[in-house]
Amino acid sequence: MVFEVATVPFNADGWGPPDASGSPAASLLPNHPPNIPFAPFSRSDKLGRIADWTRNVNQSGRPLNSRSNPADSAFDFSGDDSFATTVAADEDSSFRLVDGKPPPRPKFGPRWRFHNNQNRHNQLPQRRDEEVEAKRREAEKDRARRDRLYNLNHRSAGANASRREAAIFKSSVDIQPEWNMLDQIPFSTFTKLSFSVPDPEDLLFCGALEYYDRTFDRLTPKNERRLERFKNRNFFKVTTTDDPVIRRLANEDKAAVFATDAILSTLMCAPRSVYSWDIVVQRVGNKLFFDKRDGSQLDLLSVHETSQEPLPEAKDDINSAYSLGVEAAYINQNFSQQVLIRDGHNKVAFDEPNPFANEGEEVASVAYRYRRWKLDDDLYLVARCELQSVLEINNQKQFLTLNALNEFDPKYSGVDWRQKLETQRGAVLATELKNNANKFAKWTAQAILGGADMMKLGYVSRVHPRDHFNHVILGVVGYKPRDFASQINLNTSNMWGIVKSIVDLCMKLNEGKYVLVKDPTKPQVRIYEVPADAFENDYVEEPLPEEEQVQPPAEDANGVAAEISLAPTDVEDKEIDAVP
């Protein structure tokens, strides 16, 4: 077989086959369509070989496609590295579009400026730092906003008011250099104590009680009543050793330990106390007497003792701790007499009259209940307990204790009683429990010690926040003492455990006089040995009676000070009109 080479026309005018339209060699190209070039020559096209029979396909090092024909390998240049198309394809695969936009301007100064020589891994920590910085700035903004709101709402308390009044952190009694400290007991040990006592025994009832007026149970802020003053009725705060009945019981050897309900409740609720207090202990023979000093803090009522809200520092300020304590004591005395039916006839008289009243003297409605508890086989405790009223239910007499909560300025508590008491009484009570936990516990303990069937709590508020002389009764609520004790987490076994531990400690002391002092800054109580004549010649600063106190000026609608037209109401024994 002979291989015939076709005729190759000669193109004298240039490269490639001659023009089919104007060249005589066109007749040498049979079956060639006219006016079609052999190959395009645009700049974007790549020129290459058509076929290469001299190239060894197996030398390319790339396996052949199983679907391709081996005879077509002469026309396949994909595996030829020297081929221009492959080189161009490699160049295309490495080509990337470059972003010509300028980098964003940094927001955090030169420290956070982006550098072109940093890769993405070096930029990630910067982004996390930016997020942390942003969160920190947001927290600072929230804290500043809360501070502004606090200062706005409590501007009346003073911009530079301290967190606590300085006088509160002073000791309730001046510690003398000659006093000998015997022991100090942290309150943390009190919380672990527990002791169960049997039911007490009633030794004696003294005094007389008036009946409670049930119309006060229907009081609301809308039909409030003015708190009246009872100048003619005498109230007695007699200590243990000055009580003639206790002296008589001690001579009869009825017990070895003697105290009052106010002193016992202070010991029982000591872990909840914040203010300083002191109790005098006298060891006489085999007997132990718990006394209070004349003008002691136990005669007053604490206000906002367990609150974190600061009180004014000046003692003469009407909202200072001392002024509020005196005001609360007067409010409780007047409230305990106003809610009674004072007709002069319906009274419950007991075995003996009031042991502290003179003949013909008008005294407040109060009953002294002398009760005895068994602390050990041969150790008994006698306490004088107080009851303020009586109520007859189902032909049975129930004894009551009467106490009053006082609102002096809604800005301190954050709850306005006139707006919340009728609709959200639970919120008002919860706020008072938070701010006056020790006072609530002491009231409940006294009600349990006295065997009261019900404790009445009155809500008394000032007529005006700056008027500490005139008050109104907004409502009265009753609770069963033991149920209320469980609500405020007051454990009676723990209460008696504290008393039993202190009694056992004091019974080991020698004969003499001692004083228990609550540390003004730490949750602990100290025991000092004091001289026998201590506290006998101390000067006592008695608070002024209400009628001698200076009344604050009132302001009219234009903000001009004017005389207060709310004159005090001098109350004589008269009947209270029932509220329909």
Side-chain angles (χ1 to χ4, degrees), residues 103-157:
R105 186 174 181 179
K107 298 180 180 180
F108 307 102
R111 178 183 174 186
W112 307 93
R113 187 162 295 164
F114 176 79
H115 299 284
N116 294 329
N117 58 351
Q118 293 180 346
N119 54 24
R120 296 178 62 184
H121 297 285
N122 295 332
Q123 299 174 22
L124 290 179
Q126 288 189 359
R127 296 183 61 182
R128 287 196 293 269
D129 291 343
E130 293 174 6
E131 294 176 358
V132 173
E133 185 72 13
K135 292 180 180 179
R136 186 185 65 82
R137 290 198 311 274
E138 190 67 24
E140 290 179 355
K141 291 181 180 179
D142 293 340
R143 185 162 51 252
R145 182 164 56 251
R146 290 194 299 268
D147 292 342
R148 288 195 301 270
L149 292 176
Y150 179 86
N151 295 330
L152 180 63
N153 295 332
H154 305 81
R155 188 174 299 170
S156 61

Side-chain angles (χ1 to χ4, degrees), residues 443-512:
W443 284 347
T444 308
Q446 292 178 22
I448 294 176
L449 289 173
D453 300 292
M454 184 76 66
M455 50 184 298
K456 293 287 186 178
L457 296 180
Y459 293 89
V460 180
S461 178
R462 291 178 179 175
V463 175
H464 189 275
R466 288 183 294 173
D467 181 8
H468 66 290
F469 198 68
N470 298 282
H471 304 81
V472 291
I473 305 175
L474 302 180
V476 180
V477 186
Y479 299 95
K480 293 184 178 180
R482 295 194 176 273
D483 294 344
F484 191 74
S486 61
Q487 293 182 15
I488 64 176
N489 197 22
L490 184 64
N491 190 348
T492 55
S493 298
N494 176 252
M495 289 165 31
W496 282 109
I498 296 174
V499 173
K500 180 66 165 56
S501 64
I502 294 179
V503 169
D504 293 342
L505 180 63
C506 295
M507 291 297 287
K508 298 177 183 178
L509 302 175
N510 299 325
E511 288 194 35

Side-chain angles (χ1 to χ4, degrees), residues 314-326:
K315 186 178 180 180
D316 297 335
D317 194 296
I318 62 173
N319 291 334
S320 65
Y322 176 78
S323 300
L324 290 175
V326 175

Side-chain angles (χ1 to χ4, degrees), residues 270-299:
R272 303 187 183 215
S273 61
V274 177
Y275 298 168
S276 179
W277 48 263
D278 58 275
I279 296 175
V280 180
V281 182
Q282 298 192 54
R283 184 83 157 84
V284 181
N286 62 343
K287 292 181 174 58
L288 195 65
F289 296 89
F290 289 93
D291 279 317
K292 67 177 183 63
R293 297 181 296 106
D294 292 336
S296 173
Q297 291 289 339
L298 301 183
D299 294 336

Side-chain angles (χ1 to χ4, degrees), residues 267-490:
L267 295 176
M268 290 177 171
C269 307
R272 303 187 183 215
S273 61
V274 177
Y275 298 168
S276 179
W277 48 263
D278 58 275
I279 296 175
V280 180
V281 182
Q282 298 192 54
R283 184 83 157 84
V284 181
N286 62 343
K287 292 181 174 58
L288 195 65
F289 296 89
F290 289 93
D291 279 317
K292 67 177 183 63
R293 297 181 296 106
D294 292 336
S296 173
Q297 291 289 339
L298 301 183
D299 294 336
L300 304 180
L301 293 176
S302 63
V303 179
H304 268 223
E305 179 179 0
T306 56
S307 173
Q308 297 299 322
E309 191 67 27
L311 293 176
E313 186 174 347
K315 186 178 180 180
D316 297 335
D317 194 296
I318 62 173
N319 291 334
S320 65
Y322 176 78
S323 300
L324 290 175
V326 175
E327 179 183 355
Y330 282 125
I331 289 175
N332 271 263
Q333 290 180 357
N334 295 326
F335 172 80
S336 65
Q337 304 305 305
Q338 182 173 350
V339 296
L340 305 176
I341 302 177
R342 302 182 305 276
D343 55 3
H345 303 288
N346 293 329
K347 288 185 179 181
V348 178
F350 295 102
D351 303 335
E352 297 184 9
N354 192 315
F356 315 119
N358 298 323
E359 186 177 355
E361 184 180 9
E362 184 180 0
V363 297
S365 171
V366 62
Y368 298 106
R369 190 176 190 178
Y370 294 87
R371 315 186 82 189
R372 182 172 66 176
W373 288 267
K374 184 178 181 180
L375 300 181
D376 208 343
D377 293 337
D378 54 351
L379 183 63
Y380 289 88
L381 181 147
V382 170
R384 184 191 71 218
C385 306
E386 294 186 11
L387 301 170
Q388 283 80 34
S389 181
V390 66
L391 187 64
E392 187 172 349
I393 299 178
N394 298 329
N395 296 327
Q396 293 183 356
K397 293 182 174 61
Q398 293 188 355
F399 298 115
L400 308 179
T401 59
L402 305 174
N403 302 103
L405 299 168
N406 59 308
E407 180 190 36
F408 57 98
D409 195 340
K411 294 182 180 180
Y412 284 88
S413 62
V415 178
D416 191 348
W417 288 5
R418 287 175 171 82
Q419 298 179 0
K420 303 293 184 180
L421 190 58
E422 189 173 5
T423 59
Q424 300 180 9
R425 180 168 293 177
V428 175
L429 180 61
T431 303
E432 291 300 309
L433 285 174
K434 180 186 68 174
N435 298 333
N436 301 281
N438 187 36
K439 182 167 64 176
F440 270 100
K442 290 172 65 175
W443 284 347
T444 308
Q446 292 178 22
I448 294 176
L449 289 173
D453 300 292
M454 184 76 66
M455 50 184 298
K456 293 287 186 178
L457 296 180
Y459 293 89
V460 180
S461 178
R462 291 178 179 175
V463 175
H464 189 275
R466 288 183 294 173
D467 181 8
H468 66 290
F469 198 68
N470 298 282
H471 304 81
V472 291
I473 305 175
L474 302 180
V476 180
V477 186
Y479 299 95
K480 293 184 178 180
R482 295 194 176 273
D483 294 344
F484 191 74
S486 61
Q487 293 182 15
I488 64 176
N489 197 22
L490 184 64

